[in-house]
Amino acid sequence: MPVTISTTYQQCIEACIKCLQACEQCLTACLQEPDVQNRTMCIQTLRDCIDICALSTQFMARNSQYAKQLCSVCATICTECATHCEMYKDPHCQECAKVCRECAEHCRMMAS
């Protein structure tokens, strides 16, 4: 019997994938910035955000009983990532922060 994904799950999966992509692009761009040494915490948080978004997507796609718990953690990390990215005025950081906040909102709804 195929696993059916609810609309709520699907919207959250799409938000996580979009966030993962934005974080990957931001991470790549940050590594090219002249002040890369000052971005260590941001870069580490981007990596955490990428990984938690990927894992959350997988758990939701398989309709895991732990998906909601993972989405709660994902919301926390996405919010933290957005806060770090907002400290930098580069367009890639600002866009990433916006996408992270959207993902956090979807994940919070998913977790509740």
Side-chain angles (χ1 to χ4, degrees):
M1 192 162 94
V3 176
T4 55
I5 302 299
S6 72
T7 305
T8 310
Y9 263 40
Q10 191 57 45
Q11 289 174 344
C12 194
I13 287 169
E14 289 168 14
C16 284
I17 292 169
K18 184 178 177 184
C19 188
L20 184 158
Q21 182 179 359
C23 288
E24 287 281 10
Q25 291 168 340
C26 187
L27 175 61
T28 301
C30 280
L31 291 172
Q32 306 304 313
E33 294 293 343
D35 65 341
V36 67
Q37 292 300 324
N38 296 333
R39 296 176 186 238
T40 306
M41 275 305 299
C42 186
I43 289 168
Q44 288 175 339
T45 308
L46 283 162
R47 291 183 66 214
D48 287 345
C49 197
I50 290 163
D51 288 346
I52 195 67
C53 283
L55 195 57
S56 295
T57 298
Q58 291 169 315
F59 273 55
M60 285 184 283
R62 72 173 70 115
N63 204 16
S64 169
Q65 64 181 340
Y66 304 108
K68 288 185 178 203
Q69 289 168 284
L70 211 53
C71 285
S72 177
V73 174
C74 190
T76 300
I77 294 173
C78 285
T79 300
E80 185 71 18
C81 192
T83 300
H84 281 288
C85 284
E86 285 165 351
M87 290 192 273
Y88 302 97
K89 297 307 169 203
D90 313 291
H92 60 85
C93 288
Q94 293 298 307
E95 176 62 19
C96 187
K98 182 173 91 60
V99 173
C100 283
R101 293 227 180 265
E102 290 167 5
C103 186
E105 190 177 316
H106 279 281
C107 284
R108 265 191 292 281
M109 285 190 298
M110 189 69 242
S112 61

